[in-house]
Amino acid sequence: MIPNFHSPSLCTSMASNSRFFFFLTILSQCLSLLVSAKQTYIVHMKAQDKPPSFPTHHDWYTSSLQSLSSTPDSLLYTYTDAYHGFAASLDPAQAQALRQSDSVLGVYEDTLYTLHTTRSPQFLGLNTEFGLWEGHSNQDLDHASYDVIIGVLDTGVWPESKSFDGSGMPQVPSKWRGQCESGPDFSPKLCNKKLIGARFFSKGYRMASGGTYLGKSKETESPRDIDGHGTHTASTAAGSQVTNASLLGYASGKARGMASHARVATYKVCWKTGCFGSDILAGMDRAIQDGVDVLSLSLGGGSAPYYRDTIAIGAFTAMEKGIFVSCSAGNSGPTKASLANVAPWIMTVGAGTLDRDFPAYVFLGDKSKATGVSLYSGKGMGNKPVSLVYNEGSNGSANLCLPGSLQPELVRGKIVICDRGINARVEKGAVVRDAGGVGMIMANTAASGEELVADSHLLPAVAVGRKVGDKIREYAKSANPTALLTFGGTVLNVRPSPVVAAFSSRGPNTVTPQILKPDLIGPGVNILAAWSEANGPTELEKDTRRTQFNIMSGTSMSCPHISGVAALLKAAHPDWSPSAIKSALMTTAYVVDNAKSPLHDASDGGFSNPWAHGSGHVDPQKALSPGLVYDVSASEYIAFLCSLNYTTQHIQTIIKRPVTCSKKFNDPGDLNYPSFSVLFRNKRVVRYTRELTNVGPARSSYNVTVTGPATVGITVRPKTLLFRTVGEKKRYTVTFVAKKGVSQMGSSEFGSIVWGNAQHQVRSPVSFSWTQLVS
């Protein structure tokens, strides 16, 4: 009897009772007859099940799927380092059939990630001529940085930018195994001793946008950046020095990356429709093989268990191979629990402001004046006030200035007030201009609070905070309201700064509440960096302006700051592990602004807390000499995973080898992390042990200082740590006791634990949460 291959259930049952390779032979016949919508799946394999007839895992995966002769386009990628498995174009029945194989750990639908979209070197103290690195000069650090390679996964690169000029740099490090890939608009010759690699990964994107990766792409496929985001992030991390840089006259000066002598390799994994997990994983896989030292990813999705988080899985392998991974926290603030990229082996970066601003002013007809920000660089409005309008029209969206919402007869020749939110800030200005308006006041609502983000608008426009916006909106209701907009250029030494950006995603960490995230903040508001000359500064199609530099805001901008600083630490301390570098950055971060006040939060103007700023704002100079570090080995991360009650298959998905969980923490918070997140659930006492490694002088002694809320007792034993040698490790135990009779249900508090001496302050933030009543 001939099998009925039109039956998906038969195909599935046959596959479940056979070896994987034989199963794929049967499946090849099923595939030719099964008619269903295909999509990308990532297939995680048991690497140890590879038949001996195949020389490599790559051969196994490739040969297996190539045997599906009726579907030659089914295989997208094979993964060898960041992941064990492959990405393939399958229909749901085929994916379900694969799940039945003993050699398959999991089959997952492809995930869509999104981008998290220079004064900063001076602001971070990287332009000083002395005191950067104890016992060494700036020249020593510059020379060491030549050997460090930063891999940036983003929208590609504009190689002609002066920020990627490799003139005067020595030969590319011998460890580099990467290359420059060619494309219709990209020659490998565009790479040099600064930009040493440029690749692109588009098969997941093509599958999602056209149904087959062999079809014609909607975008030119090459490493070239036609968006600008990737060029901006790569140059922020490691751009060469460029004099006379500015955005149409704003923020003029010398632009440079954090590690201006490090090498850059770019991996284009993001396209117009977003960044697909299959492409990201392929980029991470290749970057690991190529030999990068730092991975920078200014992108992310929502929270998910680590075994379902593509970036977390790839980052684990990178960490094991000594690669530091820095990721943006997301732009979903000030909403709580809005973080992305929270795995403890990843550096999760939030955003703060610089001490540079771009003031603009609103002069109202009632003689009052309001201050906001703008990067408008065109012809001004002159000195004559014009009529002011708000919320005109009948369709209910005019207050937001959504496309098509404004009636030209009501806004022509006037300044329009637009509420911030829903659509892009620069698009609002374009909508006003297209309707005949001559100016825009973009007024914040409660969601953005007092946060001010400057934009290079297409018409005269000023962004104002919520309080000022409310006053202007109220004035607009008066008889014959008028306004005049003027622009103040660039202002430095703004106080207070830094301030936590309202958009910066916040804790608590919903995947593992016992790990405090974000880890820290870096400059992420109004950042000047290199730009693609294929796109206007507003990124709108109707923006025909072209510029070599642009000013952008987002945790996308703060992430490469930390990636670049991590590269400096890697150059200064090549023997440090990724967790040691991470610890140095966290424990030396500061929590007091340049007005000598605790850090503020732009969302409400009040004080910030570690759920918003983590350990604080990065301080590169202090991080180069932290005194002590909290080091974490791969085996300790595995013990952490075992404490999460994941199945062994889930853990194997992350660590890519069999695991027994012979070592397991009693509590995920036992991980030797540089910060603390204490959960009082059904118990009043939480006790953690940490281990510090001396990376400072021999015979260093540290005393502990604790701060915390009155509702919690904190005891540290011992209170003094004496390190006789460099590299010596010392343990301490901290006990947190929730006091009786105090109902803290649903509340949170914060504190700190600091180990200090005359030379160093090793600071760890502590968050306290009460999720149940404690008796």
Side-chain angles (χ1 to χ4, degrees):
M1 179 179 177
I2 298 174
N4 177 13
F5 286 116
H6 287 275
S7 168
S9 60
L10 176 62
C11 292
T12 303
S13 63
M14 292 179 68
S16 64
N17 295 318
S18 60
R19 295 291 294 173
F20 179 70
F21 183 61
F22 172 72
F23 152 68
L24 283 173
T25 305
I26 299 297
L27 182 60
S28 66
Q29 301 172 62
C30 299
L31 291 174
S32 64
L33 297 168
L34 286 169
V35 180
S36 181
K38 289 190 174 186
Q39 64 184 87
T40 302
Y41 290 86
I42 298 175
V43 183
H44 186 227
M45 300 293 296
K46 292 180 181 176
Q48 69 273 17
D49 281 9
K50 178 182 71 66
S53 57
F54 293 102
T56 68
H57 288 88
H58 177 87
D59 295 325
W60 180 30
Y61 308 146
T62 303
S63 176
S64 299
L65 279 176
Q66 282 180 342
S67 69
L68 310 179
S69 57
S70 60
T71 55
D73 61 339
S74 61
L75 178 66
L76 274 66
Y77 297 110
T78 61
Y79 306 120
T80 57
D81 284 77
Y83 203 80
H84 285 163
F86 54 87
S89 165
L90 306 168
D91 65 38
Q94 296 159 8
Q96 184 57 35
L98 272 172
R99 292 186 178 100
Q100 310 305 314
S101 170
D102 291 338
S103 295
V104 174
L105 281 168
V107 180
Y108 308 109
E109 293 182 14
D110 206 356
T111 304
L112 179 65
Y113 293 79
T114 56
L115 294 165
H116 289 155
T117 256
T118 262
R119 169 74 175 168
S120 31
Q122 295 96 317
F123 185 64
L124 295 177
L126 290 176
N127 278 11
T128 54
E129 295 302 321
F130 57 89
L132 234 184
W133 179 20
E134 288 182 351
H136 298 268
S137 67
N138 283 41
Q139 189 174 5
D140 292 335
L141 188 58
D142 290 343
H143 183 77
S145 298
Y146 287 136
D147 290 331
V148 180
I149 303 165
I150 302 177
V152 181
L153 273 69
D154 212 295
T155 64
V157 66
W158 190 263
E160 293 86 356
S161 169
K162 295 178 182 177
S163 293
F164 305 113
D165 183 1
S167 301
M169 295 188 74
Q171 291 300 314
V172 175
S174 59
K175 66 182 178 182
W176 177 240
R177 298 180 293 275
Q179 67 179 64
C180 258
E181 296 180 342
S182 63
D185 58 0
F186 196 98
S187 167
K189 295 179 180 179
L190 291 169
C191 286
N192 54 41
K193 294 176 182 178
K194 161 59 77 172
L195 179 65
I196 64 173
R199 297 182 184 269
F200 67 95
F201 303 86
S202 59
K203 294 177 182 178
Y205 152 71
R206 292 176 74 172
M207 271 300 304
S209 59
T212 169
Y213 83 87
L214 293 180
K216 183 174 176 59
S217 174
K218 296 179 181 179
E219 287 188 58
T220 300
E221 295 195 15
S222 82
R224 182 170 292 281
D225 179 15
I226 61 170
D227 176 275
H229 192 277
T231 299
H232 200 280
T233 55
S235 61
T236 298
S240 300
Q241 293 196 28
V242 182
T243 57
N244 299 318
S246 74
L247 167 60
L248 304 173
Y250 283 98
S252 60
K254 182 186 293 182
R256 52 156 288 188
M258 299 302 100
S260 59
H261 292 82
R263 318 292 180 140
V264 177
T266 63
Y267 300 81
K268 185 174 182 177
V269 298
C270 297
W271 306 83
K272 286 183 178 179
T273 51
C275 324
F276 290 89
S278 55
D279 295 332
I280 295 170
L281 203 51
M284 296 182 80
D285 201 52
R286 178 55 65 181
I288 292 169
Q289 296 171 35
D290 285 349
V292 302
D293 298 293
V294 175
L295 270 174
S296 186
L297 293 87
S298 290
L299 51 90
S303 294
Y306 303 128
Y307 58 84
R308 292 297 309 274
D309 186 334
T310 301
I311 295 173
I313 292 170
F316 192 92
T317 298
M319 173 274 301
E320 284 195 296
K321 294 181 179 293
I323 301 168
F324 182 92
V325 183
S326 172
C327 295
S328 48
N331 297 339
S332 300
T335 304
K336 289 184 178 180
S338 55
L339 294 164
N341 301 317
V342 296
W345 48 89
I346 289 173
M347 174 64 91
T348 311
V349 186
T353 64
L354 289 174
D355 64 343
R356 178 180 64 195
D357 214 344
F358 308 101
Y361 307 99
V362 180
F363 293 90
L364 299 176
D366 63 0
K367 306 300 182 184
S368 64
K369 173 186 172 183
T371 301
V373 297
S374 181
L375 291 170
Y376 176 69
S377 58
K379 184 180 178 181
M381 293 184 62
N383 298 318
K384 184 179 179 181
V386 301
S387 295
L388 179 68
V389 293
Y390 174 63
N391 202 18
E392 296 289 345
S394 58
N395 57 12
S397 59
N399 63 308
L400 288 163
C401 300
L402 301 181
S405 67
L406 298 179
Q407 298 180 36
E409 62 272 19
L410 297 177
V411 304
R412 190 175 293 115
K414 300 177 182 178
I415 293 174
V416 181
I417 302 171
C418 300
D419 290 343
R420 182 174 171 180
I422 306 298
N423 59 330
R425 300 184 301 271
V426 290
E427 183 182 64
K428 295 177 189 292
V431 169
V432 172
R433 187 188 70 167
D434 292 348
V438 297
M440 177 183 71
I441 299 171
M442 191 187 68
N444 284 4
T445 61
S448 300
E450 300 308 311
E451 173 186 73
L452 297 179
V453 179
D455 295 295
S456 183
H457 291 284
L458 294 173
L459 84 171
V462 178
V464 298
R466 181 194 180 186
K467 293 176 183 177
V468 169
D470 286 345
K471 291 179 181 178
I472 296 175
R473 279 182 280 249
E474 188 63 29
Y475 167 71
K477 297 176 183 178
S478 65
N480 301 316
T482 63
L484 176 66
L485 309 181
T486 64
F487 305 92
T490 304
V491 174
L492 302 179
N493 301 311
V494 172
R495 295 174 183 266
S497 62
V499 175
V500 179
F503 61 72
S504 189
S505 289
R506 313 303 169 92
N509 178 349
T510 58
V511 181
T512 315
Q514 297 89 344
I515 300 295
L516 179 60
K517 291 282 184 170
D519 291 312
L520 46 57
I521 62 171
V525 178
N526 298 333
I527 304 301
L528 179 78
W531 191 245
S532 167
E533 293 185 51
N535 205 358
T538 63
E539 303 179 67
L540 297 174
E541 285 189 17
K542 59 187 66 178
D543 188 354
T544 58
R545 298 173 297 175
R546 293 296 181 262
T547 177
Q548 295 180 2
F549 289 83
N550 198 9
I551 292 174
M552 296 184 72
S553 297
T555 54
S556 279
M557 284 60 253
S558 54
C559 169
H561 279 88
I562 304 307
S563 306
V565 175
L568 292 177
L569 267 66
K570 183 78 173 178
H573 307 285
D575 57 330
W576 281 11
S577 68
S579 61
I581 294 174
K582 182 178 184 181
S583 174
L585 291 165
M586 290 173 64
T587 61
T588 58
Y590 59 85
V591 292
V592 175
D593 62 31
N594 61 0
K596 303 192 184 307
S597 166
L599 295 178
H600 284 78
D601 190 328
S603 65
D604 59 9
F607 291 132
S608 179
N609 64 54
W611 281 355
H613 63 241
S615 298
H617 191 283
V618 66
D619 187 330
Q621 291 196 44
K622 288 187 177 178
L624 282 162
S625 180
L628 306 173
V629 295
Y630 293 86
D631 212 349
V632 186
S633 65
S635 62
E636 289 173 286
Y637 283 124
I638 295 171
F640 161 80
L641 290 168
C642 289
S643 72
L644 299 179
N645 295 320
Y646 288 175
T647 67
T648 53
Q649 283 205 345
H650 286 156
I651 299 171
Q652 190 174 338
T653 299
I654 301 165
I655 67 170
K656 301 145 191 103
R657 57 182 179 274
V659 62
T660 60
C661 281
S662 56
K663 181 184 178 184
K664 176 181 177 179
F665 294 139
N666 292 324
D667 182 312
D670 280 323
L671 182 69
N672 196 40
Y673 212 67
S675 58
F676 295 83
S677 179
V678 180
L679 275 62
F680 295 115
R681 285 177 168 160
N682 55 356
K683 56 185 180 181
R684 291 180 48 243
V685 179
V686 175
R687 182 176 291 110
Y688 291 138
T689 298
R690 292 287 195 268
E691 182 179 76
L692 284 162
T693 303
N694 181 31
V695 294
R699 301 202 60 80
S700 294
S701 179
Y702 290 82
N703 296 315
V704 72
T705 303
V706 300
T707 61
T711 51
V712 180
I714 306 173
T715 305
V716 178
R717 293 286 185 270
K719 294 182 179 298
T720 300
L721 296 176
L722 174 60
F723 297 89
R724 292 180 172 81
T725 61
V726 178
E728 185 178 1
K729 299 178 183 291
K730 291 284 187 179
R731 296 166 72 86
Y732 71 92
T733 299
V734 54
T735 304
F736 305 99
V737 181
K739 295 184 178 178
K740 290 183 178 180
V742 180
S743 176
Q744 292 285 106
M745 181 62 176
S747 67
S748 56
E749 300 278 0
F750 303 93
S752 66
I753 295 173
V754 183
W755 290 94
N757 59 23
Q759 290 76 38
H760 300 101
Q761 299 290 307
V762 185
R763 185 182 181 279
S764 295
V766 186
S767 69
F768 302 94
S769 299
W770 287 258
T771 55
Q772 289 180 227
L773 287 172
V774 179
S775 60

